[in-house]
C-alpha cells in the first residue's frame, strides 16, 4: 500500500529525529562474571534474589520467577500482580510468560484473574501441558485445577485510583468529579508518580521483566504485568507473548520489555533483540536497534509526537550467554522526569544503572 503524504511526513520526521540519538552509553555492562540477572527498575530486590539463588545452583528460570514473585506480591507496585491497577471495569487481569533456555520451552497466561503470581501458573503451562499460552477463563480454570486459590487482587489503593479515573473519565456520564482539594492522598501520590495527563492515555502502565544467566551459562527469562492501566477487559499486551515481552535462546541470550506492549508485539521485539545478539551485537546495542525499528515503523499520527517521535515509552532489557548486559529506553526519562533505569545483579552486587536511550526527552 502506498504511504500517504501525512504518513510519510510522520516517518520522515521520526527518521530525522533518529539521528539525534540521545544517551547510548553510560553503562558498565559487564561482564563481571556470572551469574547475572537484569530487570526493569522495579526489580532491584528481584535481581538480588535471583542472583543469590543462582549462586547456590538454582535453575535460572526458577531464580528469575522467585525474583519476580517479590514484585508480584508487593501491593506497593501497582503495575504487577497483587495491587496492580485494574481494567476499565475495575477487575485486575494479569499477563505473564516464562522461558526456560536449557529445554527451549516456554509458558504463558493472559487475562488471568485472582492469582497473585501468574508466573507460577505460566511455568505450569510450560511444564504440564502441550501448550504455550492459556487465556482468560481457560487460564483461570487451569489455575483452579492446579490448586491456586481465588484471591482478591484489588487493593484499597488501586480501587481508589480506579474510582477516581472512572469519575473523571467523561463529562457526559452520571459520575461526578470529586473536588481536587479533597483528593485522597493515595490517589494524589499515584497521580504525582505517573502524571494525570498520562493516566488518561492508554499508554501508561508498568511491568517487570527479568532475564537471568547462571554460572554455567544457562538462561531463563520471565515477564509479569497487570498491563495498561484501565485497559479494555481481555486486552493482552506483550508480556505473555513469547517473542515479544520475553524471548530466550540458550545459545545466545535473553531479552524482554516493559512499556507499550502493542508497539512491541508489532515488531516481535524480544525475539528481535536476541537475533541482534546472535548477529554479534552487544545486548545494549541490540535493545537500541529494536527501539529504532519501533520508532521507524510507528506511522500512526495518534502515536507520534509533533516532531515524529513515538508518543509512548518502551524499554528493552537483554543479557547474553557471556553475561554482558544492557537496557535501552525510547526516552532517557519519563514525562514526569524520572530517569530511565534498570536493575542489575552480578558479582559486583545489585544496583540500578541508567538505560541507554534512543531519544532525549525535550522539555514540554
Ligand atoms: N508491557 C506491558 C503491557 O503492554 O501490557
Amino acid at each position: 500500500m502506498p504511504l500517504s503524504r501525512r504518513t510519510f511526513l510522520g516517518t520522515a520526521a521520526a527518521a530525522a529525529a533518529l539521528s539525534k540519538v540521545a544517551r547510548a552509553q553510560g553503562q558498565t555492562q559487564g561482564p563481571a562474571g556470572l551469574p547475572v540477572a537484569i530487570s526493569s527498575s522495579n526489580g532491584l530486590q528481584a535481581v538480588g534474589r535471583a542472583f543469590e539463588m543462582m549462586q547456590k545452583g538454582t535453575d535460572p528460570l526458577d531464580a528469575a520467577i522467585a525474583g519476580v514473585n517479590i514484585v508480584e506480591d508487593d501491593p506497593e507496585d501497582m503495575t504487577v500482580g497483587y495491587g496492580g491497577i485494574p481494567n476499565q471495569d475495575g477487575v485486575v487481569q494479569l499477563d505473564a510468560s516464562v522461558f526456560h533456555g536449557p529445554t527451549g520451552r516456554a509458558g504463558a497466561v493472559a487475562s488471568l484473574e485472582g492469582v497473585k503470581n501468574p508466573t507460577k501458573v505460566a511455568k505450569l503451562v510450560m511444564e504440564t501441558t502441550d501448550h504455550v499460552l492459556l487465556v482468560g477463563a481457560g487460564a483461570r480454570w487451569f489455575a483452579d485445577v492446579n490448586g491456586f486459590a481465588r484471591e482478591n487482587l484489588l487493593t484499597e489503593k488501586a480501587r481508589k485510583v480506579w474510582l477516581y479515573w472512572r469519575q473523571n473519565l467523561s463529562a457526559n456520564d452520571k459520575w461526578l468529579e470529586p473536588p481536587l482539594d479533597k483528593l485522597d492522598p493515595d490517589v494524589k501520590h499515584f497521580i504525582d508518580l505517573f502524571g494525570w495527563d498520562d493516566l488518561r492515555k492508554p499508554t501508561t502502565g508498568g511491568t517487570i521483566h527479568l532475564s537471568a544467566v547462571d554460572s554455567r551459562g544457562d538462561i531463563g527469562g520471565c515477564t509479569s504485568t497487570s498491563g495498561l492501566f484501565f485497559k479494555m477487559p481481555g486486552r493482552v499486551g506483550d508480556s505473555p507473548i513469547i517473542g515479544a515481552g520475553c524471548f530466550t535462546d540458550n545459545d545466545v541470550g535473553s531479552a524482554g520489555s516493559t512499556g507499550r506492549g502493542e508497539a512491541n508485539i508489532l515488531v516481535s521485539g524480544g525475539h528481535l533483540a536476541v537475533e541482534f545478539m546472535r548477529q554479534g551485537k552487544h545486548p545494549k546495542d541490540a535493545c537500541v536497534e529494536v527501539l529504532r525499528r519501533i520508532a521507524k515503523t510507528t506511522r500512526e499520527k495518534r502515536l507520534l509526537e509533533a516532531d515524529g517521535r513515538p508518543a509512548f515509552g518502551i524499554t528493552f532489557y537483554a543479557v547474553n550467554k557471556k553475561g554482558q548486559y544492557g537496557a535501552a529506553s525510547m526516552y532517557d526519562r519519563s514525562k514526569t522526569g524520572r530517569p530511565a533505569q534498570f536493575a542489575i545483579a552480578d558479582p559486583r552486587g545489585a544496583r540500578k544503572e541508567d538505560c541507554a536511550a534512543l531519544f532525549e526527552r525535550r522539555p514540554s
Side-chain angles (χ1 to χ4, degrees):
M1 196 173 73
L3 291 174
S4 71
R5 175 142 179 86
R6 173 174 296 191
T7 306
F8 176 70
L9 283 174
T11 52
L18 285 178
S19 63
K20 295 181 185 157
V21 170
R23 191 177 60 223
Q25 71 292 322
Q27 297 152 304
T28 42
Q29 289 156 20
L34 298 170
V36 173
I38 183 171
S39 82
S40 38
S41 64
N42 52 350
L44 188 58
Q45 266 188 289
V47 291
R49 167 82 57 89
F51 176 81
E52 281 167 22
M53 290 178 71
M54 288 190 289
Q55 264 195 325
K56 291 180 187 150
T58 302
D59 174 88
L61 178 57
D62 289 338
I65 292 173
V68 166
N69 289 162
I70 297 173
V71 182
E72 290 175 331
D73 289 342
D74 179 5
E76 294 306 313
D77 190 313
M78 299 178 78
T79 70
V80 177
Y82 178 57
I85 292 292
N87 68 16
Q88 67 177 27
D89 289 347
V91 178
V92 180
Q93 293 188 321
L94 304 179
D95 300 339
S97 60
V98 303
F99 207 129
H100 186 237
T103 55
R105 293 175 73 185
V109 288
S111 296
L112 174 62
E113 296 178 14
V115 179
K116 268 183 194 172
N117 303 120
T119 47
K120 291 184 182 173
V121 185
K123 186 168 181 242
L124 284 171
V125 172
M126 177 186 89
E127 287 176 335
T128 69
T129 81
D130 185 35
H131 307 308
V132 171
L133 174 61
L134 294 178
V135 306
R140 181 61 256 185
W141 168 85
F142 182 74
D144 285 339
V145 299
N146 278 286
F148 287 86
R150 291 186 176 233
E151 299 170 282
N152 177 18
L153 305 186
L154 187 67
T155 58
E156 258 311 276
K157 201 193 258 191
R159 185 192 62 76
K160 285 189 283 188
V161 168
W162 174 82
L163 193 58
Y164 187 71
W165 168 81
R166 188 63 197 81
Q167 289 165 339
N168 281 277
L169 192 57
S170 167
N172 298 320
D173 62 20
K174 303 298 183 204
W175 295 88
L176 303 178
E177 286 180 29
L180 271 179
D181 58 349
K182 296 225 169 76
L183 207 56
D184 182 280
D186 283 341
V187 177
K188 185 171 178 343
H189 178 252
F190 184 85
I191 289 170
D192 289 345
L193 200 60
F194 291 99
W196 181 244
D197 276 356
D198 269 3
L199 205 59
R200 286 175 184 268
K201 289 182 185 154
T203 53
T204 306
T207 298
I208 181 166
H209 169 76
L210 196 155
S211 282
V213 187
D214 72 10
S215 313
R216 299 173 293 265
D218 282 334
I219 307 172
C222 113
T223 307
S224 183
T225 190
S226 49
L228 292 186
F229 301 157
F230 323 119
K231 62 192 177 185
M232 279 190 192
R235 176 267 181 187
V236 175
D238 57 331
S239 303
I241 306 299
I242 298 299
C246 185
F247 191 75
T248 299
D249 183 320
N250 214 47
D251 291 337
V252 180
S254 180
S257 75
T258 60
R260 182 180 158 79
E262 282 75 2
N264 183 11
I265 291 170
L266 289 170
V267 302
S268 304
H271 182 259
L272 192 55
V274 171
E275 290 309 303
F276 282 137
M277 289 193 283
R278 194 192 307 278
Q279 290 166 12
K281 286 202 189 313
H282 188 281
K284 180 201 70 179
D285 298 326
C287 293
V288 170
E289 285 313 309
V290 177
L291 293 168
R292 204 187 299 281
R293 180 76 59 87
I294 289 173
K296 195 172 170 198
T297 55
T298 301
R299 302 197 175 104
E300 288 177 82
K301 204 168 174 225
R302 69 185 175 92
L303 296 174
L304 297 170
E305 303 285 4
D307 61 7
R309 298 175 181 203
F312 51 83
I314 185 162
T315 305
F316 284 85
Y317 315 85
V319 63
N320 66 21
K321 200 169 174 65
K322 290 187 283 191
Q324 291 175 305
Y325 61 86
S329 200
M330 190 63 83
Y331 289 95
D332 58 339
R333 59 203 146 89
S334 72
K335 282 187 177 165
T336 54
R338 280 179 294 156
Q341 291 193 306
F342 64 99
I344 182 79
D346 62 11
R348 287 184 289 234
R351 60 199 178 274
K352 286 191 189 180
E353 293 187 13
D354 286 346
C355 294
L358 193 58
F359 299 122
E360 196 171 4
R361 174 88 61 194
R362 294 183 178 136
S364 47

